[in-house]
Amino acid sequence: MQFLTDFTPELVVASPGRINLIGEHTDYNLGYVLPAAIARKITFNFQRNNSDDRCHIYSKQYKTGFSIDLKSVRRSAMEWENYLLGVIHEITKKTDRLRGFNCTIESDLPAGSGLSSSAALECGLAFGLNDLFGLGLSKISMVKLSQRAEHNFVGTQCGIMDQFASVMGADGHAMLLDCRSLDHTHIPMELAPYKMVMLNTKVSHNLASSAYNIRKSECEEGVSILKAKYPEVQSLRDVNTPMLLECRDRMNTTVFNRCSFIISENNRVLAMVDALRKKDLNNIGALLYEAHEGTRTLYEVSCPESDFLVDFAKKHPEVLGARQTGGGFGGCVLHLVHEKSVTRFVESATHAYKKKFNIPLEAFEVRPSRGTTITYTK
Ligand code: GLA
């Protein structure tokens, strides 16, 4: 099939990835998260094509594309297409104003690396179509419909953090998001003289696999046990450690550990906000290491490659703290590294990682950046 791979766009949208400083798997438990959008992004070029319902989407990176008819949007056998098809499907449920369009996509966000390339894909398309066809959708409704797209077309029962962070990010700030009320506060991220360095394990997590959804249902099992004793409990957000201990005998160890992690991770998010406000660098680092330990031993979403990097970091005083970021099972490990030692530390980590796993580590610095942006409009 022939695709339009280059055209003069009517609209260009920059849709960023995100890092999560702390608060992993707390979003679907209606707790707190502390993510930030980053400058790495997916760029969308759009043009209307004067047809009623033919849409053509082409990925410059994968050199492949697909076409659909707006009257019959169905799931595809290709996973990456489903993120986009899901968004189109959700939009057509809300409005009949969508018409045919051409779209090309380019990315400098490594896929499957815990930096939310999925949310960037979903939200960037929603944002672009909203503007191109004057759909009048609010940012929050684009965030929510993108999350639903992932539930319904991809099959991952994800929380709302990634879409929220990608759309709502603010330069220089992390975002404290209450995933129950969706209230959010931008928190200045002043980490000098430390830099945020991502080391990509190049081991790809697979959220579409059942592991993520299993974690979610284990938490739900915990909630239903807790609810029997504490009827006011709606989610793990409403549970504290004494309550959990009170119900320990009624749940298996796995469910207990999952709940225990979520309760402490929620507390760590709030402790991190406090540490950021006080610029208490040592505590910031300690919280990162503590959180990683929880993901490894209690929530069990880490992997040998991420653990190796975190253990390696602990032996280096120029690193303040480190933890695997995102859904888990690999992807990127976030490190806070002293600015004077970044090059040296990255070199030695790369060497050690190559020796251990025979995988070339990828390293890059990130800083909190603005959320989804229209960078060009005709
Ligand atoms: C993925 C999901 C998010 C969140 C994280 C873990 O990135 O999309 O909703 O649950 O995993 O914190």
Side-chain angles (χ1 to χ4, degrees), residues 141-189:
S141 91
M142 290 189 271
V143 164
K144 288 182 177 171
L145 77 81
S146 296
Q147 182 195 20
R148 282 200 302 279
E150 194 153 334
H151 290 185
N152 298 335
F153 264 61
V154 182
T156 306
Q157 296 302 310
C158 63
I160 201 160
M161 168 172 73
D162 301 348
Q163 293 79 5
F164 207 99
S166 179
V167 171
M168 309 285 194
D171 202 26
H173 292 71
M175 176 193 302
L176 170 63
L177 171 65
D178 176 335
C179 298
R180 180 154 66 190
S181 65
L182 299 187
D183 285 345
H184 62 289
T185 316
H186 291 292
I187 312 284
M189 258 175 103

Side-chain angles (χ1 to χ4, degrees), residues 236-253:
L236 289 180
R237 158 73 174 276
D238 303 317
V239 182
N240 58 32
T241 304
M243 289 160 82
L244 179 65
L245 290 173
E246 194 61 38
C247 297
R248 183 179 200 152
D249 295 346
R250 298 177 214 180
M251 51 182 80
N252 67 43
T253 310

Side-chain angles (χ1 to χ4, degrees), residues 72-336:
S72 53
V73 182
R74 286 190 207 93
R75 286 177 70 164
S76 155
M78 303 295 291
E79 189 178 291
W80 76 276
E81 295 179 7
N82 284 325
Y83 295 99
L84 302 163
L85 290 166
V87 166
I88 295 172
H89 182 69
E90 290 299 326
I91 293 180
T92 54
K93 285 201 279 186
K94 278 180 162 302
T95 170
D96 58 4
R97 287 165 78 175
L98 218 49
R99 294 289 179 272
F101 65 89
N102 302 327
C103 169
T104 62
I105 297 167
E106 263 172 294
S107 174
D108 64 1
L109 253 185
S113 63
L115 299 177
S116 272
S117 56
S118 336
L121 208 49
E122 295 152 4
C123 298
L125 182 66
F127 222 82
L129 296 180
N130 182 49
D131 198 80
L132 200 62
F133 295 104
L135 305 180
L137 301 171
S138 65
K139 281 188 178 182
I140 189 65
S141 91
M142 290 189 271
V143 164
K144 288 182 177 171
L145 77 81
S146 296
Q147 182 195 20
R148 282 200 302 279
E150 194 153 334
H151 290 185
N152 298 335
F153 264 61
V154 182
T156 306
Q157 296 302 310
C158 63
I160 201 160
M161 168 172 73
D162 301 348
Q163 293 79 5
F164 207 99
S166 179
V167 171
M168 309 285 194
D171 202 26
H173 292 71
M175 176 193 302
L176 170 63
L177 171 65
D178 176 335
C179 298
R180 180 154 66 190
S181 65
L182 299 187
D183 285 345
H184 62 289
T185 316
H186 291 292
I187 312 284
M189 258 175 103
E190 287 156 12
L191 299 167
Y194 288 85
K195 300 268 192 202
M196 289 198 284
V197 178
M198 306 306 287
L199 297 185
N200 186 354
T201 60
K202 302 268 192 73
V203 181
S204 195
H205 66 153
N206 189 358
L207 280 188
S209 80
S210 52
Y212 184 93
N213 293 346
I214 289 174
R215 294 299 178 286
K216 184 163 187 261
S217 63
E218 287 162 345
C219 292
E220 285 161 1
E221 188 181 331
V223 168
S224 71
I225 296 169
L226 283 146
K227 221 179 162 74
K229 180 154 178 70
Y230 301 102
E232 70 278 16
V233 168
Q234 299 295 325
S235 69
L236 289 180
R237 158 73 174 276
D238 303 317
V239 182
N240 58 32
T241 304
M243 289 160 82
L244 179 65
L245 290 173
E246 194 61 38
C247 297
R248 183 179 200 152
D249 295 346
R250 298 177 214 180
M251 51 182 80
N252 67 43
T253 310
T254 302
V255 170
F256 175 80
N257 286 346
R258 305 296 190 245
C259 296
S260 164
F261 170 76
I262 296 298
I263 294 168
S264 48
E265 186 76 348
N266 267 325
N267 291 336
R268 276 191 290 269
V269 175
L270 300 179
M272 182 63 93
V273 170
D274 195 46
L276 281 170
R277 286 194 168 125
K278 292 182 180 141
K279 301 205 177 101
D280 180 351
L281 292 175
N282 288 332
N283 201 19
I284 291 172
L287 286 164
L288 293 181
Y289 281 136
E290 214 183 89
H292 186 80
E293 195 53 23
T295 31
R296 192 170 75 81
T297 57
L298 298 175
Y299 219 66
E300 296 179 283
V301 291
S302 188
C303 62
E305 293 82 357
S306 296
D307 295 341
F308 176 84
L309 288 177
V310 172
D311 291 342
F312 185 82
K314 282 183 180 162
K315 290 183 212 133
H316 288 76
E318 64 272 32
V319 182
L320 200 56
R323 60 174 285 274
Q324 176 189 263
T325 184
F329 308 105
C332 286
V333 176
L334 163 69
H335 292 69
L336 299 185

Side-chain angles (χ1 to χ4, degrees), residues 47-92:
Q47 84 178 169
R48 284 170 291 186
N49 63 17
N50 298 322
S51 76
D52 272 349
D53 35 42
R54 288 305 287 166
C55 307
H56 308 282
I57 300 182
Y58 181 78
S59 159
K60 292 192 173 183
Q61 195 178 358
Y62 296 120
K63 297 194 175 26
T64 180
F66 61 98
S67 296
I68 53 151
D69 189 319
L70 287 176
K71 289 195 294 296
S72 53
V73 182
R74 286 190 207 93
R75 286 177 70 164
S76 155
M78 303 295 291
E79 189 178 291
W80 76 276
E81 295 179 7
N82 284 325
Y83 295 99
L84 302 163
L85 290 166
V87 166
I88 295 172
H89 182 69
E90 290 299 326
I91 293 180
T92 54

